[in-house]
Amino acid sequence: MRPRTLLPSISIFSAALALQPASPAPTPYTEPYRPQYHFTPARNWINDPNGLLYLNGTYHMFYQYNPGGVAHEAMSWGHATSQDLTHWDERPVALTARGFPGKNISEQFFSGSAVYDVDNSSGYGNGTGTDAPMVAMYTSFYVYGQTLPSGKKVRANQQSQSLAYSLDSGETWTTDDAANPILLQPPHPYESQYKEWRDPNVFWHAPTNKWILTTALSDLHKLLIYTSTDLKNWTLASEFGPYNAVGGVWECPNLFPLPVDNDESNVKWVAIIGLNPGGPPGTVGSGNQYILGQFNGTHFLPDAESLHGQGEANWLDHGPDFYAALVYNGLPEFQRTVVAWMSNWQYAEKVPTTVWRNAMTIPRRLGLKTINGKVLVVQEPEANWAAITSKPQTTRISSLPANSTRNLGSLGKTLAANLTFSAGEQNGSSFGISLLATQNFTTQTLIGYDFATQHIFVDRRASGNTSFDETFASVYRAPLEPADDGTVTLRIFADWSSVEVFGGQGETTLTAQVFPPEGATHARLFANGAEVEDVLLSVSKVGSIWN
């Protein structure tokens, strides 16, 4: 305990400080570690993307948000809009935790999805066809037991599924208190799982002329699939799982179709499932797996080749900071854009940021390609790059000697780089680029390729501030076979506190946060163990979206 005798002097010292000129606050969006082209709110905590919806030329992004601070509390739905998936306009909070601000919060608004009910099947519109509603379905987290306005009774810490709607393009929202929660608890025999049943994902299924809902029965590693004609009355159609990775709870499901190799006569359905903990090998905490199969309107039937032994998985991203991935509704059927939370529950509440906490990944266009005889999800960075990137500067190196480096000078803290090189016959060697480094390279983030194991890697052991979590200073790896011509290609996007790496045709990605010091702008190429040939490096500077 602090000695009582110190209190008067502390009070006097505090009063004296109050008379001194205040230190100027950093200009918004220039605070240390603030991402310059990844979405962050101006202030406060965010996690999962919610309710991603494209409507009338506008991309809506809702997200888990704490209106009152940088901790995971008072979960509400924040809202931002964009015309190009690059520049974002933060809008008023869409759904605010009931009882906020204050200590008596009764209901928090957990993750979910949103649709445009063009035919007003829900009846929330006025029926004229001019104001069809946006409808959001979310998980109500009831903090304590209570009887709701609908007359339904809930227990403490219960998770149930509820509806809200907007008639003004998402600016204001009305919760359906007369009916919520629409789904009170899981069906028999899973009623006891009411504390871990969440993240409703809704989409329209044209072949059956019905709405489809998937929810995660988290502890049991199951997805429950429902159907409806009006978004209010749901019929349980089937359940799916457990399969593949089951090291932690299942969360944040997605289900959508994609053509294989752009052949619309050969379509597979993709199920994306969040997992926490138990993410990709070599990581601690969160990750997203995917499973390919077919969906007939009621059942998701996985392909045999997409199933593995328990604990193995097809990872959507092999890095530690790609979680709660969600695809956009409202785009053309086979245009699937995904956004993920760029953090990890292992340390999300401890990262060294102050005004805001956590960010979203670059939006990514998803596809299915046959690569080396396997159908894989591929990802393409999706943004208005022409508006924020400079003309690329290209460096060609015919060979880089073994155990050597090539300094690239100061490239800045925000950049997009393409690095291509020959895989050759090297064994036990690696090649790559050091980014976000101090001039003496005592601080650096290493991104490269291990020729012996055919893995890309991100090494953040010396990346800057790693003290907030004992697992943070680690190396992360992901498999990538060379292309048919014997080359390896890495696309790298570096921001003030992150790197995202796309390998090959986008079949392998690796996302990681880093927290380098202010002057960490330097870069160099490195070749360890063997000579590397036919190196082509193209680097563009990326401007801030917060001008």
Side-chain angles (χ1 to χ4, degrees):
M1 293 179 67
R2 181 180 297 159
R4 291 178 182 272
T5 55
L6 290 181
L7 289 178
S9 61
I10 289 175
S11 298
I12 294 170
F13 181 62
S14 299
L17 281 180
L19 298 177
Q20 302 300 315
S23 300
T27 303
Y29 293 100
T30 66
E31 305 92 345
Y33 310 129
R34 170 75 80 166
Q36 295 300 291
Y37 62 95
H38 292 77
F39 176 78
T40 54
R43 302 185 65 85
N44 301 332
W45 164 281
I46 64 167
N47 57 289
D48 307 2
N50 297 153
L52 302 186
L53 180 63
Y54 180 73
L55 179 62
N56 297 329
T58 297
Y59 294 91
H60 293 267
M61 178 167 64
F62 301 91
Y63 46 87
Q64 291 287 274
Y65 184 64
N66 176 4
V70 293
H72 181 255
E73 299 170 348
M75 282 296 92
S76 305
W77 274 33
H79 182 202
T81 58
S82 175
Q83 308 304 308
D84 61 359
L85 284 173
T86 304
H87 302 87
W88 293 93
D89 180 17
E90 196 169 348
R91 309 303 303 162
V93 176
L95 298 168
T96 303
R98 294 186 194 271
F100 177 88
K103 298 181 179 180
N104 194 30
I105 292 176
S106 61
E107 180 187 1
Q108 298 185 47
F109 296 88
F110 279 9
S111 294
S113 56
V115 295
Y116 182 55
D117 184 13
V118 64
D119 294 324
N120 193 30
S121 64
S122 62
Y124 290 138
N126 64 12
T128 66
T130 60
D131 67 343
M134 291 174 62
V135 180
M137 194 168 194
Y138 56 91
T139 295
S140 291
F141 175 68
Y142 298 105
V143 180
Y144 53 81
Q146 56 193 288
T147 299
L148 303 173
S150 62
K152 298 175 182 178
K153 295 182 179 180
V154 294
R155 292 165 281 190
N157 301 318
Q158 180 161 340
Q159 297 177 11
S160 298
Q161 319 314 320
S162 296
L163 291 175
Y165 63 91
S166 173
L167 301 178
D168 56 5
S169 298
E171 288 296 294
T172 60
W173 288 82
T174 302
T175 54
D176 189 351
D177 294 339
N180 282 337
I182 296 296
L183 291 172
L184 180 64
Q185 63 186 23
H188 179 77
Y190 307 125
E191 298 96 327
S192 62
Q193 301 297 314
Y194 66 89
K195 291 185 179 181
E196 299 288 347
W197 178 49
R198 55 183 173 269
D199 308 334
N201 192 304
V202 180
F203 64 92
W204 178 253
H205 188 246
T208 58
N209 204 38
K210 288 184 178 181
W211 297 103
I212 306 298
L213 166 67
T214 59
T215 63
L217 204 56
S218 300
D219 280 340
L220 300 184
H221 310 110
K222 288 180 178 289
L223 303 184
L224 301 183
I225 300 175
Y226 296 78
T227 65
S228 176
T229 58
D230 62 3
L231 290 168
K232 296 178 177 180
N233 298 285
W234 293 94
T235 300
L236 179 65
S238 65
E239 60 184 59
F240 172 82
Y243 290 109
N244 294 358
V246 292
V249 296
W250 278 16
E251 298 182 305
C252 306
N254 295 250
L255 188 60
F256 55 90
L258 283 174
V260 178
D261 301 322
N262 295 316
D263 179 3
E264 294 188 7
S265 67
N266 181 16
V267 173
K268 289 184 180 292
W269 282 72
V270 184
I272 296 176
I273 305 163
L275 184 75
N276 178 66
T283 71
V284 176
S286 316
N288 282 97
Q289 64 174 321
Y290 71 87
I291 298 174
L292 305 181
Q294 297 297 327
F295 179 66
N296 61 10
T298 56
H299 293 72
F300 178 65
L301 308 172
D303 292 346
E305 57 269 27
S306 198
L307 300 181
H308 308 288
Q310 183 171 328
E312 300 179 24
N314 313 299
W315 296 107
L316 192 61
D317 188 285
H318 292 257
D321 294 310
F322 186 96
Y323 192 58
L326 186 67
V327 299
Y328 264 90
N329 279 326
L331 294 169
E333 182 180 17
F334 298 135
Q335 183 178 331
R336 298 291 169 171
T337 297
V338 68
V339 176
W341 180 43
M342 196 162 60
S343 196
N344 188 315
W345 282 116
Q346 172 69 19
Y347 43 71
E349 293 192 274
K350 298 184 289 183
V351 294
T353 63
T354 53
V355 176
W356 90 101
R357 186 153 291 160
N358 302 317
M360 298 303 181
T361 63
I362 297 170
R364 306 177 182 186
R365 178 76 64 87
L366 301 181
L368 292 178
K369 283 189 178 181
T370 304
I371 300 175
N372 297 321
K374 299 179 182 178
V375 178
L376 303 173
V377 170
V378 295
Q379 302 177 61
E380 174 78 12
E382 188 173 6
N384 184 7
W385 297 114
I388 60 173
T389 55
S390 67
K391 182 179 179 180
Q393 301 296 313
T394 300
T395 301
R396 296 179 183 272
I397 303 173
S398 59
S399 68
L400 192 65
N403 303 313
S404 69
T405 61
R406 173 71 66 90
N407 282 335
L408 300 171
S410 178
L411 298 184
K413 295 191 295 180
T414 55
L415 59 91
N418 284 7
L419 180 60
T420 302
F421 49 94
S422 174
E425 298 296 329
Q426 297 97 330
N427 290 308
S429 60
S430 62
F431 171 74
I433 188 170
S434 168
L435 293 173
L436 302 175
T438 52
Q439 191 168 9
N440 60 4
F441 289 90
T442 55
T443 294
Q444 59 183 335
T445 298
L446 301 176
I447 301 167
Y449 188 74
D450 187 314
F451 294 100
T453 62
Q454 295 189 335
H455 279 69
I456 63 174
F457 62 84
V458 170
D459 182 347
R460 66 181 185 188
R461 288 176 296 180
S463 60
N465 188 345
T466 64
S467 62
F468 53 88
D469 180 77
E470 63 181 7
T471 70
F472 191 85
S474 300
V475 183
Y476 305 96
R477 306 177 188 275
L480 179 67
E481 296 183 29
D484 291 340
D485 63 1
T487 61
V488 175
T489 298
L490 303 179
R491 297 182 67 186
I492 302 163
F493 296 85
D495 206 339
W496 283 15
S497 55
S498 66
V499 292
E500 292 180 73
V501 185
F502 296 73
Q505 301 177 64
E507 68 269 30
T508 298
T509 67
L510 204 161
T511 301
Q513 294 181 92
V514 291
F515 297 97
E518 180 65 27
T521 63
H522 294 266
R524 68 183 179 186
L525 297 172
F526 62 87
N528 295 330
E531 177 187 32
V532 179
E533 298 180 338
D534 303 322
V535 177
L536 177 61
L537 173 65
S538 175
V539 179
S540 296
K541 294 184 177 181
V542 183
S544 175
I545 64 173
W546 306 118
N547 294 333

